[in-house]
Amino acid sequence: MELLDIAHRGRTLRGALHLPSDKDAPVPAVVLCHGFGGNRAEFGYTFVRAAAALAAQGIAAFRFDFAGCGDSDGEFDDLTVSDQVAQTVAVLDAVGAHPAVDADRLSLLGMSLGGLTASLAAPHRPVRSLVLWAPAALAVAMTEEGAKRRAAAIAEHGYDDFGGLPIRRPFVDDAARIDPFADAAAYTGPVLLAVGADDFVLENGVLDRYRDAYADRLDLHLFAGVGHGFETVPARERLVELSAAFAARHA
């Protein structure tokens, strides 16, 4: 593993590049996008495990902290989905420029808000495959009731308290300009979608809308008995195994 810093709009995005030890360069690579308020290790160090599984398949993996998260520069208060998409595109370009990586064989993997981000970034570059773990489409496609509650909280406090982290007006204004399904549908490659059967992201026909967006390019896996964080050891082991195998098939 080597640490790799990437400059983006006056900020340094900090990450870790895992390279296979038994493959000659250049190798394919997957960029991993963490969820809201997370970091490049992800829940239960699942991104660390996924990177190791990818490297074992002969694929490099780059885990990075979005601006304002983990060790990267920036303020969390400035978070918007569009900015994270721009960061992801810049990271794809930087990873593709690494001498050990084949720039024509890049893929994306994202969890939750990182999954939404990855789905929106994928159409901007010739991405080989896309792996989505519980993508948070509802972050930008809230119900009318949820949107009103969030607006009221921001009006009163200046932010909406989401699990102890603030969501501020720029996030909401940016989200209003995004259609998470129509925008994602511009990506024409293969997609793995993994979701816990008890996950709140299944509200409002989300799976049907992803089926419509990706059609026969979608490989859907529903995990029984778990929610948004795939909260059992077997579920997380299966998640990593499925994702690495999918990326390897399409590398």
Side-chain angles (χ1 to χ4, degrees):
M1 184 188 77
E2 66 178 75
L3 299 180
L4 177 63
D5 292 347
I6 296 170
H8 183 259
R9 297 179 179 172
R11 305 164 299 193
T12 298
L13 308 179
R14 295 180 172 85
L17 180 65
H18 299 248
L19 293 167
S21 58
D22 58 348
K23 296 288 183 180
D24 293 332
V27 296
V30 177
V31 169
L32 282 65
C33 304
H34 67 77
F36 178 84
N39 59 58
R40 63 183 182 254
E42 250 311 334
F43 59 83
Y45 314 111
T46 313
F47 271 12
V48 180
R49 295 169 185 167
L54 288 163
Q57 296 271 14
I59 301 170
F62 183 65
R63 306 179 288 112
F64 75 103
D65 297 327
F66 281 111
C69 300
D71 295 318
S72 289
D73 294 348
E75 298 296 330
F76 188 82
D77 284 358
D78 297 331
L79 171 68
T80 68
V81 173
S82 293
D83 185 34
Q84 288 202 162
V85 170
Q87 291 174 54
T88 302
V89 172
V91 167
L92 283 168
D93 291 344
V95 171
H98 191 283
V101 171
D102 185 343
D104 294 324
R105 302 172 70 191
L106 300 176
S107 295
L108 283 168
L109 184 156
M111 166 63 195
S112 191
L113 190 66
L116 172 63
T117 300
S119 72
L120 299 172
H124 293 276
R125 292 294 184 271
V127 171
R128 285 291 188 98
S129 67
L130 176 62
V131 176
L132 305 177
W133 296 357
L138 294 182
V140 297
M142 299 181 71
T143 63
E144 183 178 354
E145 179 182 353
K148 287 181 178 178
R149 183 205 56 77
R150 175 161 289 172
I154 292 173
E156 181 177 359
H157 304 292
Y159 62 89
D160 181 24
D161 192 325
F162 189 80
L165 288 168
I167 294 178
R168 298 190 183 274
R169 174 58 61 187
F171 183 97
V172 175
D173 292 344
D174 175 71
R177 297 187 287 269
I178 296 170
D179 183 325
F181 306 104
D183 295 348
Y187 172 66
T188 59
V191 181
L192 185 147
L193 175 58
V195 183
D198 300 330
D199 192 344
F200 68 89
V201 305
L202 297 185
E203 293 180 3
N204 302 320
V206 165
L207 289 186
D208 288 337
R209 297 190 71 181
Y210 274 119
R211 289 187 183 101
D212 291 341
Y214 293 127
D216 59 0
R217 295 174 285 116
L218 182 65
D219 184 4
L220 173 63
H221 295 266
L222 199 60
F223 286 60
V226 296
H228 194 59
F230 302 90
E231 303 89 355
T232 68
V233 170
R236 292 179 177 183
E237 289 178 345
R238 180 185 168 213
L239 182 66
V240 167
E241 181 181 352
L242 279 172
S243 301
F246 183 84
R249 286 198 303 275
H250 299 288

